[in-house]
Amino acid sequence: MAMGKRNIKNIAWLLATANLGGEYKWNHTPDTSFNYVASRVPSIFSSGNAIIDPTFAAWKRTINIAEYLDDPFVVDKFYEAITPYLNSSKYFKIKDTSLFTSMDYCSGSQEAFLNFMMMNRDKRLRLFKGDYWWHLDICDSLGIEWAFIEDDELRHTDFVIFSCPFALTGEPHANMLDMLDVCEHKGIEVLADLIYMPNYKEQYEMDLGYDCINTMTFSFSKTFPIQTARIAVRLQKKVTRDPLNISNNENIENRLALGLGVNVMENYPINYMVDTYSDLQAKWCDILSLTPSNVVHLAYGDDYSDRSNQYSKYNDQFRRYNMGILYQNDKLLNEIYV
Amino acid sequence: MLLTFEFKNINNYPVCSIHVNDIPEQFGSVEPILNVAIDMEMYTEFNVKIYFMNKSPDDTVVDAAGNIIQDKNFELVDILMDGVSIGDYRWEGEYVTATERNKSCLFFGPPGHFEIALKGPGDYKHLEGTTDFKDFDEQYKLWQWAKETLKI
């Protein structure tokens, strides 16, 4: 039975009022006053954060990551495992991963983005409207010029960051291939952010063979609920001797993060969330009259909140729903609402 | 509904009594935040009075030139209804002494009381000019429904 927008609001208020706990302090509701709950409602379905799968959540607490502090080889284990892991996806295929022979651990993809921006700070950043808002806030703070790809032609004095699957829609951006052709022709450096690829549930092949794509980034943060462990990697065809690379050459990468990453790759297939939650995505999209994305924890519909953009003036993602909170509370919602 | 009273510049241990519809609901030292829980339906009119209980002439000390060098007083900053500030509507209140009514006065100096007429949650007058609550009516009902459903 489809219920639509009215009931999206009901569920948002229900979940905002309930003290759900979790790894973010704003999910611990210290009081249930109207104003405090109202301030949380717009964020209930926001963010691209991973589904808090209970089996995974229980498992991760059993891992003794402290033992990796003194293991100098855990870095190599991670680097050796990551490319086969990415290539093991049953759905989203990445062509030419073998070209990316240089790897750098990074504390979240953000660290790789930041280094890319610093090394291109005299150029203008270009990205599609709806991509990760963080890029724009950082550019503003660093005084780096930027413009949306849609708003001006691409020039050889630009550099590009794009996500695939695209952050806003969960699909490859409709103009991605045209953008890459232009960048290839004009020698514009491009970074490909593949953070959502493990949760992509349809067959797709991403061609990273373009010369303009020297860098791709991957993080575990949107796939598994370990975003606070900051497990990410930058893969490059040609080494960039930037602050990230220089620091990593000291062999002082975060071994706690890398050790956990190695364990995740050994114990959880890359498409675990797709295989586990596709049915719940279909169920909740039907109940709430939302359009399911091909990224299993995302969906699309009308804005359910009239609040201004949260966290950043550039964060305009109110038509995108993170369905994870519904999957996580499916039992509760079934008992009291559906 | 929770009424929250915010005070500042609290000098020399003032005591207040907060009345809702002339029923005393709270008595004690003035603190930066005082909360009073009351039962009130949406859109129901009620009045709030805050009495300055322990001011006496001896509390005000002046120097030879007549300047006040010590006193007992405090100032009302805001009133919130379930966390929602009444905002500039607070200036509709009056400070009432034995001899006069001072409009738009939030300062508790002489003996007297502050009074203001309010309406139960949903009165848009309190929220005019704010952008966050243009659907306040609907939101407030959703919040009440959520609390009832979760039995909170």
Side-chain angles (χ1 to χ4, degrees), chain A residues 53-216:
Chain A
D53 175 78
T55 304
F56 183 95
W59 168 83
K60 73 182 178 185
R61 294 188 195 101
T62 67
I63 307 301
N64 178 18
I65 57 174
E67 67 183 60
Y68 295 106
L69 282 170
D70 300 320
D71 179 358
F73 301 107
V74 69
V75 181
D76 291 338
K77 287 178 199 160
F78 181 91
Y79 288 161
E80 284 159 11
I82 188 65
T83 302
Y85 191 68
L86 295 175
N87 287 338
S88 70
S89 173
K90 293 180 287 187
Y91 310 106
F92 192 104
K93 301 291 187 187
I94 308 171
K95 204 170 158 207
D96 292 320
T97 52
S98 59
L99 297 174
F100 293 83
T101 54
S102 170
M103 296 184 197
D104 279 298
Y105 161 78
C106 39
S107 180
S109 301
Q110 290 176 349
E111 190 176 16
F113 300 151
L114 190 56
N115 274 264
F116 190 58
M117 290 179 191
M118 285 194 290
M119 299 305 285
N120 289 285
R121 59 190 175 276
D122 296 326
K123 296 182 182 176
R124 181 176 62 158
L125 172 66
R126 309 299 301 281
L127 69 172
F128 288 115
K129 287 179 183 174
D131 215 325
Y132 190 22
W133 53 267
W134 182 91
H135 299 310
L136 305 181
D137 274 339
I138 297 301
C139 281
D140 286 351
S141 78
L142 294 177
I144 294 174
E145 207 182 328
W146 65 267
F148 292 122
I149 291 172
E150 293 89 338
D151 291 343
D152 192 16
E153 64 168 329
L154 286 161
R155 303 193 187 134
H156 71 278
T157 50
D158 292 336
F159 67 108
V160 172
I161 297 176
F162 77 99
S163 55
C164 184
F166 186 56
L168 183 61
T169 61
E171 305 296 335
H173 193 282
N175 297 328
M176 180 185 72
L177 296 178
D178 289 338
M179 176 273 291
L180 288 172
D181 284 341
V182 172
C183 289
E184 188 80 342
H185 177 68
K186 294 188 177 181
I188 297 170
E189 191 165 359
V190 178
L191 181 153
D193 170 22
L194 272 60
I195 196 168
Y196 287 106
M197 61 79 67
N199 279 9
Y200 194 79
K201 61 181 191 179
E202 294 293 325
Q203 293 296 320
Y204 183 79
E205 185 177 72
M206 175 76 213
D207 183 1
L208 292 180
Y210 294 82
D211 288 338
C212 61
I213 304 178
N214 184 53
T215 305
M216 70 159 159

Side-chain angles (χ1 to χ4, degrees), chain A residues 5-24:
Chain A
K5 185 178 177 183
R6 162 86 188 146
N7 293 285
I8 291 172
K9 287 187 180 181
N10 278 57
I11 289 178
W13 278 87
L14 198 70
L15 295 174
T17 306
N19 189 354
L20 299 175
E23 74 274 27
Y24 291 119

